[in-house]
Amino acid sequence: MTTGHPTAHDFRSVLSLDPLLDFWRNHVVPMCPHTASMFEAAAGHLEANDAIGGQELDPAKMRQHLAQLVPLMTAVFPSSTWESDLSVAVTPLDNRPFFYTPLFERYFLSDDGRMRGTLKQPQVDTDVFQRLRAFWLILDKVYGIVQGRGIPVVRTIVDPETGLDRHYRMLPDWQFLQVVTQGRPEPLDSRDRTAILENIDDPEVLARLVPAQRVEFRGFIVIRAVDITQSEVLADLERGLIDQETIFCSGGFGRLQQRLRILFGRPDLRAGLGALHGDQVWVVNDEEHSAANCIFKNSNHVRVADLQGSMWLRAVNQRDMLIVPNLADGQRLSPAEQELLDLGFRSALIVPLLYQGTIIGTFFILSPRPNDFDAMDKLLIKPTVPLFSMALKRGVDDIHNEVQAIIKEKCTALHSSVEWRFRQAAFSHLERRHMGEASELEPIVFKDVIPLFGQTDIRGSSEARSRSIQADLTEQLRLAREVFERAGQIKSWPLIQQFDYRIAQRIDQLRQGLPTGAESEMITFLKQEAEPTFEELLRIGPRVAQAVESYRRALDPQHGFVYQERQAYETSVSLLNARLSTYLEQAEAAAQKEYPHYFEKHQTDGLDYVIYLGQSMREDAHFTAFHLQNLILWQLILACGMAWHTEQTKPELSVPLDTCHLIFYSTTPLSIRFRYDEKRFDVDGAYDVRHEIVKSRLDKAVVKGTGERLTQPGRIAIVYAHAHEAEEMRQHLHYLQSNEHLLEDIEPLELEDLPSVKGLKALRVGVNLEATALARQVALVAAG
């Protein structure tokens, strides 16, 4: 077996009509005897003319004797399809045409008679393909391996009429080709055959396996071209749409548009894509835009409101493809349609794009000619519509993911009611970055916002905590003193007496109260001074050892000190907070369904929350006095529910606790700004800070002239500054009294001035904790 590496041109290739003459003698004449005289005459012309009847013919000279060739070639090129076929006869290896139909000449041949166009498939250059084809012919004719013949060959040419690419499947007919070996061909064993099949498209491997240098190709090859432009373009469109860059970059969309022009056979078509995004449409095409509001470099934004009544929204509403025969016939054109008309476009094909039943955008094709689209064009584009939808959805999702990454980095978690504004800011930031501009997230400020503040405070929680600390410290000191007292009964060591004295001092100090820092100081004393002496005192006797053991058993294993009363206190506070917090979250979730709003909750010893309302905080700017008053009434019902839950939880508390409820009602609008460094909202401006100052000091407010604290257990205090606010609040209170949520004991109160805060007033009313109507209301909220 040969091991050389010949190229295709090393093979001997001879153009000859002998195989055609044999075909006439063996097949045509026996089947049609009346053709015998014609064949003999034609063959006689060949014998008399070396230019067409020799053993090694020149393709160029053969073209000079077409009249003599035509009769013989009718066996290959039927007269009935001569004007419509795309067929050619070429030399065996280098594809030099010598006989072809008029249509083939028009599309495929250059002025010098060479083949035009490029190989689309296989994706190799011409020389490599000629070499491959030589091996395939040897394998087919000599070794019976026909797999190479099955590899599709697609050639792309430029249509001389439209200037658009067209794709043709080149179907070779090898029956007039003879492959003659010099001597007996070397056999191929099974291993070689397997290797050849595995590398049928690799000329280097085939060159090592096939003894090509001893082969002569004689005759000619017939090639018939079949137009497969439509199927090839559809396949290219599918591949392109799988790659989102095809849509979302200018060059890629230009390639997609060119494929559509080829598919429709119209070089002046214009394509576009509209992606729905909130109240805007991103319009994508093949033009570069420099505007700073372009999320993609080849897109611009159009408001949905500006498209009302347009052909795009008509297609969306009917959820089916729409043909617009002539834009000039429209009575009321939208601004976007008028712009297209001014640019010279007349007809359009609009395709709505859906994803899982939801409209996500439109795809459209424009033509400068009226009535340029029909039902067949719908059928032509229909197979690609799901791919357009999938590509659009994926591309938009990728942008949204990028935006969410920016929001997560800059803002952490955001309340759902204002996330839209952060998305806008992130999109703008992303657009500027895509345009190559330096960018930071723009300030997020909501102006003319009404704040609603509410608080449920655990009354006396600080005192209860102090009492629990006092009790635990006293118990631990008592146990420690017991150790030293028993040791002093046995040993008269002066240091024992000193420790007993120091512990007694601290117990007396705790009876007077819990000074600041006393807890830390006493624990440090016990841990670092008293407890280290216990190891030595254990040696004194069993009664001292028993006292030490009692001391150590009393210590909490996790904290290392006596923690019994503090544990009871913290468990009670946690239980009450959990019940109140759960109820607040349930009530807030229900309120959000009715009217989305910004809500922020804080939890310490009790709960407080703030609600911000206003047109600027709604993407649709929908906010009225009705929504404000509805949430104010909701606040009052919420406070009643918090009081009711407190009452229901009291029997489960180890430490007695109660709650007080406060609402600060101010209709004076303010501005809030998101602080990127602290990742939270704060009031914006010196004037608006006053509201925050008032909020922070209200829990210390007292009734004027009495010294009584404004907030009291089981009662709701509503603080206000203006008379009209009190009147609005009274209407809500009277309503809640009528349905037995509140007691008939509204108190109008004036408050003592607070630092930097003057002139505040309040209404205070008791919650009807025994009312079954209130219990039903609370249960209704809990059920969602």
Side-chain angles (χ1 to χ4, degrees):
M1 193 172 68
T2 59
T3 58
H5 297 268
T7 68
H9 297 289
D10 291 330
F11 306 141
R12 179 167 173 73
S13 174
V14 177
L15 173 61
S16 172
L17 296 179
D18 288 347
L20 178 62
L21 297 175
D22 291 342
F23 178 77
W24 272 93
R25 294 188 188 99
N26 299 327
H27 298 283
V28 179
V29 172
M31 292 182 63
C32 304
H34 64 276
T35 62
S37 58
M38 183 189 72
F39 169 67
E40 289 174 1
H45 288 302
L46 294 184
E47 291 176 3
N49 191 336
D50 291 341
I52 56 177
Q55 292 300 305
E56 296 187 25
L57 304 176
D58 184 345
K61 292 180 180 179
M62 293 184 72
R63 292 294 302 167
Q64 302 171 10
H65 303 276
L66 288 179
Q68 289 79 25
L69 285 177
V70 167
L72 290 174
M73 283 295 187
T74 55
V76 184
F77 298 85
S79 300
S80 61
T81 58
W82 177 252
E83 296 296 334
S84 59
D85 272 0
L86 289 163
S87 302
V88 64
V90 298
T91 56
L93 292 185
D94 53 4
N95 269 8
R96 286 187 294 165
F98 68 92
F99 194 87
Y100 35 78
T101 63
L103 205 56
F104 190 93
E105 179 182 18
R106 181 182 178 186
Y107 281 104
F108 285 92
L109 297 187
S110 60
D111 293 339
D112 61 0
R114 294 280 181 174
M115 294 272 281
R116 291 194 299 115
T118 58
L119 282 177
K120 186 174 186 292
Q121 189 176 351
Q123 294 181 346
V124 295
D125 62 34
T126 302
D127 288 341
V128 172
F129 179 67
Q130 288 177 345
R131 190 178 179 202
L132 270 173
R133 192 175 64 175
F135 289 124
W136 294 343
L137 290 171
I138 295 168
L139 291 170
D140 179 19
K141 299 286 187 176
V142 177
Y143 295 102
I145 299 175
V146 299
Q147 273 76 3
R149 291 172 55 180
I151 294 180
V153 179
V154 178
R155 182 174 287 269
T156 299
I157 63 166
V158 176
D159 189 321
E161 293 181 359
T162 65
L164 300 172
D165 286 348
R166 299 200 68 80
H167 308 294
Y168 289 87
R169 178 79 175 268
M170 311 303 284
L171 301 175
D173 182 350
W174 294 344
Q175 67 174 316
F176 301 108
L177 177 71
Q178 297 172 349
V179 179
V180 182
T181 61
Q182 299 177 8
R184 188 173 181 178
E186 296 184 21
L188 296 173
D189 58 28
S190 59
R191 186 175 60 181
D192 289 339
R193 286 177 175 270
T194 300
I196 287 171
L197 294 176
E198 291 175 350
N199 299 275
I200 198 71
D201 60 345
D202 190 333
E204 297 301 325
V205 175
L206 296 180
R208 294 196 298 270
L209 298 173
V210 179
Q213 75 277 13
R214 297 190 298 165
V215 176
E216 178 182 278
F217 302 94
R218 175 175 289 276
F220 61 91
I221 299 172
V222 177
I223 299 175
R224 292 181 171 83
V226 178
D227 191 341
I228 59 168
T229 300
Q230 186 177 115
S231 60
E232 282 295 301
V233 171
L234 286 173
D236 287 344
L237 278 173
E238 290 178 4
R239 286 189 291 270
L241 289 170
I242 290 172
D243 176 12
Q244 66 239 42
E245 286 298 312
T246 298
I247 290 181
F248 296 124
C249 70
S250 181
F253 197 89
R255 288 189 294 272
L256 182 139
Q257 177 175 260
Q258 187 66 12
R259 289 175 182 139
L260 290 168
R261 289 171 172 172
I262 295 170
L263 180 65
F264 287 91
R266 300 163 205 170
D268 48 6
L269 292 185
R270 178 76 173 275
L273 193 71
L276 285 174
H277 178 248
D279 62 350
Q280 289 185 330
V281 178
W282 296 335
V283 181
V284 186
N285 50 46
D286 68 331
E287 292 184 354
E288 290 283 355
H289 294 267
S290 58
N293 66 340
C294 295
I295 189 66
F296 312 112
K297 286 187 178 180
N298 62 317
S299 74
N300 54 60
H301 303 306
V302 179
R303 293 195 315 150
V304 173
D306 294 336
L307 298 175
Q308 292 301 319
S310 69
M311 58 185 180
W312 294 281
L313 290 192
R314 292 205 306 274
V316 166
N317 291 334
Q318 71 184 32
R319 300 172 79 87
D320 195 6
M321 283 187 264
L322 173 69
I323 291 176
V324 180
N326 192 349
L327 275 170
D329 294 339
Q331 298 298 316
R332 294 182 180 178
L333 297 181
S334 68
E337 288 172 317
Q338 185 63 52
E339 182 180 355
L340 293 179
L341 186 62
D342 294 341
L343 290 172
F345 294 105
R346 291 296 179 267
S347 55
L349 173 60
I350 314 293
V351 183
L353 301 179
L354 293 87
Y355 183 80
Q356 295 182 349
T358 301
I359 294 287
I360 61 172
T362 60
F363 167 68
F364 55 93
I365 308 171
L366 307 170
S367 170
R369 292 173 297 279
N371 303 299
D372 207 20
F373 299 103
D374 56 29
M376 293 303 297
D377 294 317
K378 288 184 179 182
L379 293 176
L380 192 60
I381 200 65
K382 188 174 182 179
T384 66
V385 172
L387 291 171
F388 271 103
S389 298
M390 182 177 64
L392 179 60
K393 180 66 167 60
R394 185 180 62 244
V396 172
D397 283 348
D398 287 346
I399 295 296
H400 277 290
N401 291 339
E402 197 170 350
V403 167
Q404 288 301 319
I406 294 172
I407 292 175
K408 185 175 180 180
E409 175 190 355
K410 301 291 187 180
C411 313
T412 62
L414 293 171
H415 195 270
S416 58
S417 65
V418 294
E419 190 173 347
W420 63 272
R421 181 63 186 89
F422 287 83
R423 284 199 306 269
Q424 285 184 349
F427 270 111
S428 298
H429 170 59
L430 189 56
E431 288 172 343
R432 291 190 292 271
R433 290 202 322 197
H434 278 214
M435 300 302 295
E437 302 175 11
S439 177
E440 292 291 337
L441 276 180
E442 64 194 57
I444 303 294
V445 179
F446 294 107
K447 297 182 179 297
D448 297 325
V449 170
I450 302 296
L452 302 179
F453 175 73
Q455 182 183 75
T456 292
D457 183 48
I458 297 179
R459 172 53 55 88
S461 59
S462 297
E463 292 82 354
R465 182 177 184 277
S466 295
R467 288 195 298 271
S468 67
I469 294 172
Q470 284 177 275
D472 283 338
L473 286 175
T474 300
E475 176 63 11
Q476 188 168 349
L477 288 167
R478 185 192 67 77
L479 292 170
R481 188 180 186 190
E482 181 70 19
V483 173
F484 288 103
E485 284 181 341
R486 291 190 180 185
Q489 292 171 359
I490 301 172
K491 298 288 186 179
S492 58
W493 296 342
L495 189 57
I496 293 176
Q497 303 304 320
Q498 185 192 70
F499 269 107
D500 182 63
Y501 167 74
R502 294 172 68 187
I503 293 173
Q505 272 191 319
R506 285 171 170 78
I507 292 174
D508 288 341
Q509 184 181 12
L510 287 173
R511 290 193 184 104
Q512 306 302 317
L514 184 68
T516 303
E519 178 183 9
S520 175
E521 186 277 329
M522 293 183 185
I523 292 296
T524 300
F525 163 72
L526 289 167
K527 288 293 182 185
Q528 296 183 5
E529 296 189 54
E531 290 181 12
T533 67
F534 289 174
E535 291 300 322
E536 183 62 33
L537 298 181
L538 285 170
R539 304 173 184 273
I540 294 177
R543 291 187 71 250
V544 177
Q546 289 175 355
V548 171
E549 180 62 22
S550 296
Y551 176 91
R552 289 175 174 172
R553 280 201 308 269
L555 302 183
D556 183 85
Q558 184 175 357
H559 296 87
F561 46 80
V562 174
Y563 198 69
Q564 185 174 350
E565 295 300 322
R566 273 172 286 190
Q567 181 70 52
Y569 163 78
E570 291 181 2
T571 300
S572 298
V573 170
S574 296
L575 175 59
L576 183 55
N577 266 337
R579 295 283 174 82
L580 297 177
S581 181
T582 299
Y583 173 70
L584 175 58
E585 290 171 1
Q586 291 171 339
E588 163 60 13
Q592 283 287 349
K593 291 179 182 178
E594 300 302 325
Y595 182 79
H597 54 274
Y598 183 83
F599 179 87
E600 189 176 289
K601 179 188 77 169
H602 302 97
Q603 179 172 319
T604 52
D605 287 350
L607 301 165
D608 65 71
Y609 63 86
V610 64
I611 294 173
Y612 292 122
L613 297 163
Q615 284 187 333
S616 65
M617 302 200 74
R618 287 291 299 259
E619 190 171 10
D620 59 5
H622 181 55
F623 174 71
T624 65
F626 176 85
H627 300 117
L628 173 62
Q629 294 302 321
N630 188 61
L631 277 171
I632 292 170
L633 179 56
W634 174 85
Q635 275 191 289
L636 288 167
I637 297 173
L638 176 71
C640 292
M642 300 289 262
W644 186 89
H645 270 288
T646 300
E647 199 66 19
Q648 301 304 307
T649 308
K650 282 181 181 180
E652 303 177 47
L653 304 178
S654 302
V655 176
L657 298 172
D658 212 333
T659 54
C660 305
H661 313 281
L662 175 111
I663 292 172
F664 178 33
Y665 179 34
S666 172
T667 57
T668 302
L670 49 78
S671 297
I672 58 172
R673 175 186 295 267
F674 188 80
R675 309 290 181 186
Y676 286 108
D677 52 347
E678 300 177 13
K679 294 182 171 53
R680 67 178 184 86
F681 277 104
D682 201 356
V683 292
D684 189 46
Y687 177 80
D688 296 329
V689 169
R690 181 179 182 275
H691 182 271
E692 294 299 295
I693 294 173
V694 174
K695 279 192 341 183
S696 66
R697 296 175 179 173
L698 282 179
D699 63 335
K700 301 295 191 295
V702 297
V703 178
K704 192 170 187 177
T706 66
E708 177 191 11
R709 289 188 64 173
L710 170 64
T711 56
Q712 295 294 327
R715 300 183 72 77
I716 303 172
I718 303 106
V719 177
Y720 63 93
H722 304 289
H724 72 88
E725 295 168 346
E727 184 58 32
E728 292 168 354
M729 192 59 71
R730 282 182 180 275
Q731 293 177 12
H732 300 313
L733 295 179
H734 290 326
Y735 165 72
L736 292 178
Q737 286 175 329
S738 70
N739 60 23
E740 300 181 348
H741 284 49
L742 298 176
L743 300 174
E744 299 287 342
D745 61 351
I746 297 176
E747 301 175 89
L749 304 171
E750 291 189 20
L751 304 182
E752 294 283 4
D753 292 341
L754 297 168
S756 304
V757 180
K758 297 182 179 180
L760 293 180
K761 298 180 181 182
L763 298 172
R764 191 167 63 185
V765 63
V767 179
N768 189 356
L769 298 173
E770 305 298 327
T772 56
L774 179 56
R776 285 196 300 268
Q777 176 69 39
V778 172
L780 186 63
V781 170

